[in-house]
Amino acid sequence: MKANLVIINIGVLYTPIIKPPIRGKDMSHILEVENAFIAIKDGKIIDFGNQDYAKYISTETEIFDAKHCIAIPGLIDSHTHLVHAGSREDEYAKLRAGVPYLDILKSGGGILGTVNKTREASFEDLYKKGYNSLNEMMLYGVTTIEAKSGYGLDLLNEVKQLEVAKKINETHPVFIKSTYMGAHAAPKEYKDNKPGYINQIIEDMKYIKNHHLADAVDVFCETGVFSIEDTRKILKEAQQLDFSVKLHADEIDSLGGAGLGVELQATSVDHLMAISDEDIKKLSKSNTVANLLPGTSFYLNKGYAPARKMIDANCALSIAGDYNPGSCPTENFQFIMHLASNELKMNPKEILNATTINPAYHLGLSESKGTIDIGKDADIVLMDASNLNYLVYHFGVNHTKHVLINGKFVVFNRQIVRKK
Ligand code: NIG
Ligand code: FE
């Protein structure tokens, strides 16, 4: 078979190789191929290795010299709040002065501040802001994301957010998986009637399902937001409708959200800064992935999730960005990877598994994404680095040189490739 494109002179190609979810010690396993090539046809990888690639070349084939860049699979950011309006730099000063994040929310700010702005925003303005943020993420090497609603908190505005994500997915090269998160907070109309809001969410999920606007449902299970019982009720209803489920769990207080996630066979439980030892044990015996978000700990100046303890206990981990205006305002996924190393004490191979195949697994995409392998989508990042360790060590800069999605260059020489 002849290729459309063969990338040659790859310094080192790094790819996960174990079947996901990759857990515990296995997370330190990555295949390394020196002086590699990747052959691509019709958007898929047809071969890779360090042998002779001549058999894939015809007069039609483009040959691209990677000039010793390293190659990794496209990065997968499995937890973002991509679509929202406005920003919260006013709150940043309060946080730094020591006002707790949950107190800001309780007084009608925080998430609820962004809800006001998102409700007022036009479809077009939300689309432009989300699209531009996604460009930023792609420049850092991200080729797939998950995007949550949760700043509308009524059917009209949740649907608006999800429709915006859908339009971005149709017009932007990065692939988006959408999650409905009406249970991000109770809106002001339901301030004193949380049960009423939960019933509303349960109704609204039917509409969202019927209109194919999301694949998953997420709940912010936290003190003063949604309790364990509230969360169980919402997610069980979601499962009845055939949504996959996930939770913001044990972010600030240790409520046992991770254990609930295991009980419900959630695809992931996210945050986990305050996870209990008991729940680590439960997670380790399940296929629920611990999705850690070190950027949030960094920004909120909170403790970090006990990643080493979880790896030692044989849990499967992924790392995500949590891009949002209130607890992690950054699109820089490589900085998140640096934090995974510096603060979560994960090694570069663990981090690569945690930002490619494991998130692909819990997003239900591991058949087509997350590794450089024959038959997979040609989502590939070429980084200007001599090895994987360097990528994690040299922080605060962007190592991405070129990005391919479905076999097409979407970032070339650090610039976004504009559609013709
Ligand atoms: O993942 N924890 C809840 N949700 C977001 C923050 C949202 C916000 O503050 O706007 C998070 O950290
Ligand atoms: Fe989040």
Side-chain angles (χ1 to χ4, degrees):
M1 196 191 323
K2 303 296 179 195
N4 309 119
L5 170 66
V6 180
I7 304 172
I8 62 167
N9 271 334
I10 296 167
V12 190
L13 179 158
Y14 297 91
T15 181
I17 185 137
I18 297 173
K19 194 171 171 298
I22 306 182
R23 49 177 77 250
K25 281 199 180 68
D26 282 350
M27 287 192 68
S28 291
H29 200 74
I30 286 284
L31 177 71
E32 295 177 36
V33 184
E34 281 181 30
N35 197 14
F37 76 88
I38 304 173
I40 296 164
K41 186 178 170 58
D42 299 335
K44 307 275 181 208
I45 296 166
I46 56 169
D47 201 4
F48 71 100
N50 57 4
Q51 305 297 317
D52 187 17
Y53 55 82
K55 57 178 181 270
Y56 297 112
I57 309 278
S58 74
T59 48
E60 318 278 273
T61 307
E62 182 190 343
I63 300 175
F64 180 76
D65 186 342
K67 299 199 170 131
H68 304 288
C69 279
I70 63 168
I72 59 172
L75 297 168
I76 299 184
D77 189 345
S78 59
H79 182 139
T80 83
H81 301 257
L82 179 74
V83 178
H84 62 263
S87 54
R88 308 228 291 267
E89 60 275 26
D90 49 335
E91 236 171 63
Y92 179 62
K94 286 190 196 157
L95 286 170
R96 292 296 77 96
V99 182
Y101 176 83
L102 289 178
D103 285 7
I104 296 175
L105 177 61
K106 225 190 286 167
S107 63
I111 294 171
L112 295 174
T114 301
V115 169
N116 292 337
K117 290 178 195 151
T118 304
R119 286 178 172 184
E120 279 161 22
S122 69
F123 185 95
E124 204 46 39
D125 286 348
L126 289 172
Y127 171 78
K128 276 194 208 138
K129 183 172 161 66
Y131 192 98
N132 289 337
S133 279
L134 197 54
N135 271 347
E136 281 300 317
M137 293 178 190
M138 187 171 77
L139 282 166
Y140 282 101
V142 172
T143 57
T144 296
I145 67 161
E146 182 256 17
K148 301 172 197 297
S149 66
Y151 291 118
L153 307 189
D154 60 26
L155 184 61
L156 184 75
N157 288 292
E158 286 291 308
V159 167
K160 179 172 73 176
Q161 264 191 289
L162 292 167
E163 295 273 16
V164 167
K166 186 172 168 203
K167 184 166 169 204
I168 297 174
N169 189 32
E170 286 162 1
T171 52
H172 196 285
V174 169
F175 183 68
I176 303 180
K177 273 280 220 181
S178 271
T179 297
Y180 167 62
M181 199 178 178
H184 201 187
K188 55 181 186 293
E189 323 68 281
Y190 284 99
K191 192 168 178 288
D192 301 311
N193 180 16
K194 189 146 326 137
Y197 185 53
I198 291 171
N199 290 336
Q200 188 62 52
I201 290 171
I202 290 168
E203 267 315 296
D204 294 354
M205 285 193 304
K206 295 177 193 154
Y207 181 94
I208 285 157
K209 186 72 202 182
N210 289 337
H211 291 79
H212 310 289
L213 287 169
D215 304 300
V217 171
D218 192 345
V219 176
F220 187 14
C221 180
E222 186 58 67
T223 306
V225 193
F226 293 95
S227 68
I228 287 282
E229 278 320 309
D230 297 339
T231 306
R232 184 184 280 112
K233 181 167 181 192
I234 295 166
L235 294 183
K236 281 202 157 205
E237 292 285 345
Q239 286 177 321
Q240 291 293 321
L241 294 169
D242 221 17
F243 283 108
S244 59
V245 301
K246 54 178 94 181
L247 299 71
H248 282 59
D250 304 318
E251 176 180 353
I252 295 160
D253 293 332
S254 183
L255 297 189
L260 176 64
V262 173
E263 175 194 319
L264 297 174
Q265 295 182 306
T267 49
S268 69
V269 284
D270 299 37
H271 283 296
L272 310 183
M273 284 104 101
I275 190 174
S276 67
D277 287 353
E278 195 189 324
D279 280 0
I280 291 179
K281 210 181 277 166
K282 288 184 193 164
L283 260 185
S284 71
K285 297 194 170 66
S286 77
N287 282 337
T288 298
V289 177
N291 197 16
L292 308 187
L293 318 173
T296 311
S297 300
F298 174 80
Y299 180 82
L300 294 179
N301 260 325
K302 288 271 174 195
Y304 287 81
R308 285 263 53 99
K309 220 180 191 183
M310 290 188 227
I311 292 173
D312 290 347
N314 208 34
C315 295
L317 269 57
S318 58
I319 298 292
D322 196 21
Y323 166 66
N324 76 73
S327 71
C328 197
T330 182
E331 292 94 341
N332 184 342
F333 200 59
Q334 289 175 39
F335 181 58
I336 303 294
M337 293 166 82
H338 172 74
L339 290 175
S341 168
N342 216 47
E343 301 288 351
L344 300 182
K345 320 291 181 206
M346 292 171 69
N347 70 47
K349 290 178 181 171
E350 290 170 339
I351 294 169
L352 190 61
N353 279 312
T355 51
T356 55
I357 191 64
N358 273 0
Y361 170 79
H362 71 76
L363 294 178
L365 299 171
S366 56
E367 293 296 311
S368 56
K369 297 187 185 292
T371 64
I372 295 176
D373 201 1
I374 296 170
K376 288 262 176 122
D377 294 348
D379 296 355
I380 298 156
V381 188
L382 297 168
M383 299 270 195
D384 201 356
S386 53
N387 58 68
L388 186 62
N389 296 356
Y390 185 85
L391 176 63
V392 171
Y393 140 87
H394 185 171
F395 77 97
V397 297
N398 188 356
H399 298 283
T400 305
K401 188 94 187 277
H402 314 288
V403 182
L404 293 98
I405 297 182
N406 294 320
K408 298 247 175 326
F409 282 95
V410 293
V411 174
F412 192 84
N413 268 337
R414 304 178 184 279
Q415 303 285 322
I416 303 243
V417 177
R418 304 282 162 202
K419 272 191 246 157
K420 283 168 204 105

